[in-house]
Amino acid sequence: MNKDSIKASSENHHRRTVITYGTFDVLHQGHINLLRRAKELGDWLIVGVTTDNFDLERGKLNTRDSVMKRIQAVKDTGYADEVIIEEYKGQKIDDIQKYNVDVFAIGSDWEGYFDYLKEYCEVVYLPRTQGISSTMLREEQISIRIGIIGTGSIARRFVPESKFVSCNTISSAFNPDHGECEAFCSANGIPSAARSLDELTGNCDAVYVASPHYTHHEYVRAALQAGKHVLCETPFVLRLAEAEELYSIAEANHSTLMIAHKTAYCPAFRHLVTMLKSGVIGKIVDINASVTTLTDEKSSKLDHNQYGGSMNENACFPLLPIIKLLGNDVRNVNFYSIMKNDVDIYTKAVFRYDSATASFQVGLGAKTEGNMIISGTKGYIYVPAPWWKTDYFELRFEDQNLNRKCFYPFMGEGLRYEIREFISHILNPEQNFYLLSKGEILKMTEIQQDYIDGKTVYKLS
Ligand code: CTP
């Protein structure tokens, strides 16, 4: 450092530094006013823009612009002397000390909330511009109208979850039992109870299929043929040919067809997959996962005529990590089923790959620990029950000092993550479905079909 730059840097300490933070999505006049007022409080303005991942973690699932676009928009206002990214909770305290900040400024909608920063600097709440917000602009711009088919318990959970995601509204619902449909709509604030499938598709842009699984094929096909985007509950369909047919209709119509597998889209599972793929436990040699949900014997889930049973109901969950992590080249699968009234109340499946094994247990009439263990040549990952909606897992090694616990958000019922992905795909159709690809879905369906067809199924009583 030469003398001049030392002098300049010591002068820098005397300048009055202001810092402010925000998402700055769809940048608007309210943001511009805020930045101008913040800048007027000092000589140097630092603006912290939240990363996409940080927004996802704190449950803000509705941002439209990417972090790069939001940063550029802040720079373009001309008020920011420096832009930083905000990526973790508590970062403000670090930044204020690191950058020798004199003033922390934020809009008055946060009045009082940031008083804890007074220990480190002056805290100023600036007047918020009335009548404008990112939320308002996002809502005004585009809204995908979703129609719901099937009005059972999962649909009931879907409605409030959809409110955490922007650019969508639930416009209508359909259930062949019109009385039930009307009750569902009035209880959930849905404007229209459709009397027919045509009426539903005439009143929406996208369809969420949440009916019993053996009806999925028929409903998804009708919705796709009406030119709608479709989000279909798990398990998707029962036969591979049906799945292939539906994908080809969707592709021909340029419609989005996505499977509502909530595990695939939740933050912990997403990161688990990328960590494993980058080799944290070495090469994967074995996966074991189980999902058991004790169910009343009279439930339709245990009715042979309605394609009930543990495999049909639950296998889509453990199949996800197995297919996603070990791939489509399964050499063989053996199923061992404990049967009652013609359905499997418990099934254990054992997979052979060229250089790995996997197994799962699913049950509706028997209970076991619902955890997942992924074993590798350098260590293993332990995901406690219920692993399919987890917010936490552990990396464990021979040397226990290397063990690590990883925590993630899993907000509400967790359906908001898949809804966000669905809406985002409709708005950006060029996006790749890498979180749960067509190839993975087809393979999972094929394995389910092999079971239904009785291939290598050993029935025990
Ligand atoms: N802000 C403001 N006036 C507005 C909107 C926002 O002064 N009409 C301020 C906020 O108080 C905050 C900064 O701009 O200090 C960044 O806010 P951000 O949360 O990014 O914007 P919102 O429009 O409030 O976003 P959302 O609707 O998603 O909450």
Side-chain angles (χ1 to χ4, degrees), residues 311 335 337 339 344 347 447-454 457:
M311 275 296 297
F335 302 96
S337 289
M339 306 294 294
D344 60 319
T347 291
I447 294 172
Q448 296 260 36
Q449 178 178 338
D450 284 349
Y451 181 80
I452 293 169
D453 291 346
V457 178

Side-chain angles (χ1 to χ4, degrees), residues 22-23 25 49-71 85-87 267 270 409 417 420:
T23 304
D25 190 32
V49 178
T50 51
T51 63
D52 298 329
N53 200 36
F54 183 48
D55 277 328
L56 181 69
E57 268 179 31
R58 62 196 190 116
K60 195 171 172 123
L61 300 180
N62 53 5
T63 45
R64 209 200 61 189
D65 298 338
S66 70
V67 64
M68 292 310 286
K69 198 165 171 197
R70 293 183 281 115
I71 287 174
I85 59 173
E86 186 185 17
E87 51 189 341
R270 287 175 65 162
Y417 303 111
R420 183 178 96 127

Side-chain angles (χ1 to χ4, degrees), residues 5-26:
S5 58
I6 292 171
K7 191 165 165 248
S9 86
S10 70
E11 274 170 2
N12 281 350
H13 288 299
H14 300 297
R15 73 182 177 203
R16 198 169 147 81
T17 302
V18 183
I19 200 161
T20 188
Y21 295 86
T23 304
F24 302 103
D25 190 32
V26 230

